[in-house]
Amino acid sequence: MKFLFWKLFLIVSLIGMSLSYKACAADQFSHTVLKLPYEPQNSSPWGKVINTWAEWSAFYGELLDANQPTPFSIALPEIDFDQYTLVAGGVGVKSSGGYVVSVASVDEVEDSVYIHVLNVSPGAGCPVTLMVKYPSTAILIKKATKPIRFFVTNVTSECPV
C-alpha cells in the first residue's frame, strides 16, 4: 500500500510538471513513430538527427548491413526531408527484454525543440525475455530549424504480480 501511494504521488507530480512545462511552450509539435526493421545495435546510448535523404540512406543501410543476411529485401521508406526531420536514439545494450524507449512529447519553445523521452526499465518482479536487446525509437517531426534538446525521464515499470 505504501508503494502504491508513492507511485500515485510520482505520477501526479510528473503530470503536474508536464502540464506546467506545456503551458510555457509556444507550440506543441506532433510526432510520428517510425518502425525500424531492426534495433540499431549500439553498445552505449546514442542519438541522431537526420535532415537529408543521404543521411537517412546511410543510417538505414547500416541497420540492414548489421543484420545481414536477411531473407528478403527491405526497401528504404520514403521521407520528405523538406517537410520533416527524423530523430532516432537508443539507450545502448541491455541484457534482457522489458526495456522501452518512448517519446512522450515534442515541444517547440522560442529557441529550441524539446523532445521528452521516457526510458522505461522493468521492475524487479517483471517477467522479461533473456535475450540481449537494444531499446531505441525513431520519430518524424515537422522540419526543425532550431536546436533539438532532450529531456530523459527514467521510469521503472511496476508489473502486476
Side-chain angles (χ1 to χ4, degrees), residues 97-150:
Y99 294 87
V100 177
V101 176
S102 178
V103 174
S105 65
V106 180
D107 299 291
E108 179 181 23
V109 294
E110 188 175 304
D111 61 343
S112 301
V113 174
Y114 286 95
I115 299 179
H116 182 202
V117 179
L118 297 176
N119 179 18
V120 183
S121 300
C126 295
V128 296
T129 60
L130 297 178
M131 64 190 314
V132 173
K133 302 298 282 180
Y134 301 87
S136 61
T137 192
I139 63 169
L140 282 179
I141 61 173
K142 70 181 182 179
K143 188 69 175 180
T145 56
K146 299 175 183 179
I148 296 176
R149 304 190 193 289
F150 298 91

